[in-house]
């Protein structure tokens, strides 16, 4: 009997050893009560069945899958992993949670057993720290990049993050914060929920109530399905699914809606939300697997993208094991010497052994290059999936989802599938980012603003400078506390253009004895004393580094103001409009034109003939009489008329300019100093005045390098006038709007030089404040409809003081202002003379042919005779020359 029993046990042991030798064991750790756990279980079992249906794949060996249900428990997950390590498992699929993945990664690192997960996608699970942990789906770093791109695309600046208090939730939201910061956005509030399954309704209500008091209405929900659905249901009950909210749920929502049916109440509560799903391109393999799914699941649950990843993960392991066998390798294990001290203990840790082929299997998995049901599968050197992409979905009624676009790391947001973009150059410019129309919560297609004023009963605290001068811009009525002025009216008009109310109160800043420092005023915003600042606040570089400003509502810039005095009347004032050189050129051209016209008219016009003395007088009279209009002498030749016409046009321009310039010299005020602008101020050592509180002081000291000892603070227009008149300062540097108001009140002063800075006045807000954007839009609207100009005229439309000039003092007109006219006249004279002498030479040859064909022996005498004869002919009256030619021709015809 004992012998028979021994043989039975021995045969069983041999059979068991043979069976084990024919199996390649893999394990899977999931919470199989979850949606993703149920789908993954069916998909992995189907994959194992498909692998085993091909005997040649593993050389006749079978793939054996052992499932362990962690049931939301990290402890049970660890226990399951230890059991797998005791049973010579070559690889483990899972875990579902990143919390367990962090722990198990240390275990598999020690025992060289690859751990593959498509749901534990914590971006901090680094391959450097956990070399045997492999993520077989795009990790949450890419998911959060997609979310950040969506937020930036819809032009939101702040978001509220609601997430589970576990490793994957916290680390993924940290990654989201980093990606948002790259796009100048931020997470303004974090609502942390307990992890599943302990997240209760009361805890969720408490967090959502806090969220409703926040300014941002853009909510990113990153949790698991049970908690996420509770959040939507409670948010709907709290009125948080209205048209003022934006909800972006991560991939948990798409996988839930893909696989399960939700109640009508829950389906209604999530209408308008946006979500993402890992993109898997269409392929025959995918379609074939989808067609099998109902049979595989018996209709218990629909397929989602994690089912595709589960199926492909099993095949990845199978191909990697096949590579080992094809290269003559074996599945062997060895004891871990570090665990020998635990031998014989209750836990029996010494049973854990090291997979000898683990490093090779890991290498084979990372070299995977195949096409699965989820699409092409490969790994980058950093073990990330190549070209990760997501479908962008909009939740419609009844829990259905409609696709509005795609996101891929290659080109951002688009409405075409990512695989069609890979053949084109990467382009992530803002102009190429596009999604289809979104139906937002509340069944509206109008994009929600994404923020409101916090519902905490406190109106917006707006700091206003308490000015003691130039009160037309900002001032407070004594006793009533009412604030008014140009800047205040612009601000209030802009508020009326906003599509929402802005509760606010004005808080005066300053002691009332002198103008406050505007730099201190805007700094009060950064330390949360004020929520905004309104007034005549200049937008300068240093301030834009710490604050956001609205669109400028008024142009501004620094200008120089000096004292002026009336010009003394002098006897020779009529000569001042032109420079001496200009007067000389005018006189010379008068003589030249007169001489040219005399030459052109002398032969034909009796008025230009007579004794030499008379002809000289005629030339002088004709030359200078053209200045005052057409001369009394008539011109009969065509060339003479052309020259005279051009010259009269030149004289018209010159006399008009002379009249205007002389009027200016006799009426305008002239400078009492040599200051012509900022350049002459810099090179001088004169004192310079500036307005107290203005940025002019820092600009002159820091940018223009003017010593502070030269800068004199002035508090009011009265001080401006006194300091300039008394000579305590050579000039005052201030912003143009103040200077314009000053010049409209005080005479005897004017601006000199050009405006040497270009800036504007705007309203200051905290960094990334959405109100700054809306106020900018409102100011542009006021500018377009003319309201901004009406407000300006109401407060600032004052006439300039009599005799005041806003330009630099009038200058004498130089020759360079008219050289073009003189050039035209000179060229005309030269051309007319050239034509005239050509005609005279031609006629001379006709009258005296014997002089133009003389013999060479008389060449010297002929030149002298010819010249005298030619001059005599030119001086001769045209009728005499014509009669002589006529007689000569008759004599030739009748010899």
């Amino acid at each position: 009997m004992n012998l028979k029993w021994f043989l039975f046990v021995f045969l069983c042991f041999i059979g068991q050893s043979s069976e084990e030798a024919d199996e390649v064991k893999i394990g899977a750790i999931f919470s199989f009560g979850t949606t993703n756990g149920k789908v993954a279980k069916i998909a992995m079992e189907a994959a194992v069945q498909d692998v085993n249906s091909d005997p040649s794949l593993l050389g006749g060996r079978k793939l054996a899958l052992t499932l362990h249900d962690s049931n939301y428990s990290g402890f049970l997950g660890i226990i399951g992993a230890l059991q797998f390590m005791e049973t010579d498992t070559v690889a483990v699929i899972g875990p579902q949670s990143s919390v367990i993945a962090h722990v198990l990664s240390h275990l598999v690192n020690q025992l060289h057993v690859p751990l593959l997960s498509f749901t534990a996608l914590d971006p901090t699970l680094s391959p450097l720290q956990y070399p045997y942990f492999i993520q077989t789906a795009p990790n949450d770093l890419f998911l959060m990049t997609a979310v950040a791109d969506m937020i930036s695309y819809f032009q939101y600046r702040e978001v509220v993050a609601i997430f589970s208090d576990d490793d994957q939730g916290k680390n993924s939201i940290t990654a989201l914060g980093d990606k948002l910061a790259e796009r100048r956005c931020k997470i303004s509030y974090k609502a942390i929920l307990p992890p599943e399954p302990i997240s209760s309704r009361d805890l969720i209500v408490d967090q959502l109530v806090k969220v409703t008091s926040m300014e941002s209405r853009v909510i990113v929900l990153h949790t698991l399905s049970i908690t996420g659905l509770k959040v939507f249901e409670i948010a709907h009950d709290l009125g948080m699914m209205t048209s003022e909210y934006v909800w972006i749920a991560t991939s948990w929502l798409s996988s839930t809606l893909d696989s399960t049916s939700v109640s009508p109440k829950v389906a209604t509560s999530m209408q308008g939300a946006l979500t993402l799903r890992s993109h898997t391109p269409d392929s025959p393999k995918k379609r074939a697997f989808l067609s099998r799914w109902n049979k595989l699941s018996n209709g218990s649950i629909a397929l989602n993208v994690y089912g595709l990843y589960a199926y492909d993960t099993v095949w990845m392991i199978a191909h990697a094991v096949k590579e080992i066998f094809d290269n003559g390798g074996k599945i062997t294990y060895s004891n871990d010497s570090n665990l020998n001290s635990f031998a014989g203990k209750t836990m029996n840790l010494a049973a854990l052994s090291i997979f000898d082929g683990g490093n090779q299997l890991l290498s084979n998995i990372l070299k995977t290059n195949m096409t699965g049901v989820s699409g092409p599968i490969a790994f980058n050197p950093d073990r990330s999936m190549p070209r990760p992409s997501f479908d962008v979905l909009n939740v419609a009624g009844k829990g259905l989802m409609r696709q509005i676009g795609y996101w891929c790391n290659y080109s951002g947001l688009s409405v075409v599938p990512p695989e069609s973009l890979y053949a084109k150059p990467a382009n992530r410019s803002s102009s190429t980012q596009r999604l289809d129309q979104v139906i937002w919560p509340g069944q509206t297609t109008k994009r929600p603003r994404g923020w409101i004023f916090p519902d905490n009963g406190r109106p917006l605290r707006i700091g206003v400078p308490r000015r003691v001068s130039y009160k037309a811009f900002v001032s407070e009525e004594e006793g009533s506390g009412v604030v008014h002025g140009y800047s205040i009216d612009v601000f209030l008009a802009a508020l009326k253009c906003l599509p929402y109310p802005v509760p606010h109160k004005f808080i005066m800043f300053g002691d009332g004895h002198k103008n406050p420092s505007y730099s201190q005023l805007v700094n009060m915003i950064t330390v949360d004393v004020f929520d905004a600042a309104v007034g005549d606040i200049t937008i300068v570089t240093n301030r834009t580094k710490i604050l956001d400003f609205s669109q400028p509502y008024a142009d501004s810039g620094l200008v120089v103001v000096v004292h002026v005095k009336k010009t003394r009347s002098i006897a020779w004032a009529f000569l001042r409009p032109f420079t001496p050189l200009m007067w000389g050129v005018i006189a010379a051209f008068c003589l030249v034109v007169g001489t040219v016209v005399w030459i052109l008219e002398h032969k034909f016009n009796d008025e230009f003939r007579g004794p030499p003395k008379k002809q000289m007088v005629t030339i002088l009279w004709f030359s200078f009489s053209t200045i005052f209009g057409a001369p009394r002498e008539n011109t009969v030749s065509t060339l003479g008329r052309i020259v005279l016409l051009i010259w009269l046009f030149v004289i018209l321009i010159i006399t008009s300019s002379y009249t205007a310039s002389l009027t200016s010299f006799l009426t305008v005020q002239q400078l009492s100093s040599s200051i012509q602008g900022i350049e002459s101020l810099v090179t001088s050592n004169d004192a310079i005045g500036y307005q107290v509180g203005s940025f002019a002081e820092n600009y002159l000291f820091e940018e223009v390098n003017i010593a502070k000892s030269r800068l004199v603070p002035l508090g009011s227009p009265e001080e401006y006038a006194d300091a300039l008149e008394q000579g305590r300062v050579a000039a005052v540097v201030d912003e143009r709007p103040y200077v314009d108001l000053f010049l409209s009140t005080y005479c005897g002063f004017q601006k000199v030089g050009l405006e040497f800075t270009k800036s504007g006045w705007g309203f200051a807000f905290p960094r990334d404040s959405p109100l700054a954007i809306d106020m900018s839009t409102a100011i542009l609207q006021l500018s377009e409809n003319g309201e901004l100009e009406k407000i300006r005229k109401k407060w600032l439309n004052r006439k300039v003081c009599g005799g005041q000039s806003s330009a630099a003092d009038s200058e004498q007109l130089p020759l360079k202002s008219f050289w073009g006219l003189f050039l035209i006249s000179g060229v005309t004279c030269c051309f007319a003379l050239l034509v005239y002498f050509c005609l005279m030479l031609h006629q001379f040859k006709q009258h005296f042919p014997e002089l133009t064909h003389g013999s060479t022996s008389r060449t010297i005498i002929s030149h002298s005779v010819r010249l005298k004869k030619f001059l005599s002919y030119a001086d001769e009256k045209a009728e005499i020359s014509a009669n002589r030619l006529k007689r000569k021709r008759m004599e030739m015809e009748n010899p």
Side-chain angles (χ1 to χ4, degrees), residues 847-866:
H847 282 271
F848 304 99
E850 68 279 3
L851 297 178
T852 57
H853 299 88
S855 63
T856 58
S857 62
R858 300 168 57 195
T859 301
I860 298 177
I861 300 176
S862 297
H863 280 308
S864 176
V865 172
R866 286 173 188 170

Side-chain angles (χ1 to χ4, degrees), residues 47 243 276 281 347 412 423 504 557 779:
S243 58
L276 296 114
M347 295 183 64
H504 64 277
I779 290 171

Side-chain angles (χ1 to χ4, degrees), residues 631-653:
R632 62 182 177 84
E633 291 83 6
N634 294 321
T635 53
V636 297
S637 67
T638 302
L639 291 174
R641 290 175 176 177
I642 292 174
V643 170
L644 183 60
L645 179 64
I646 297 297
W647 177 242
L648 289 176
F649 172 73
V650 173
I651 285 298
L652 175 64
I653 301 299

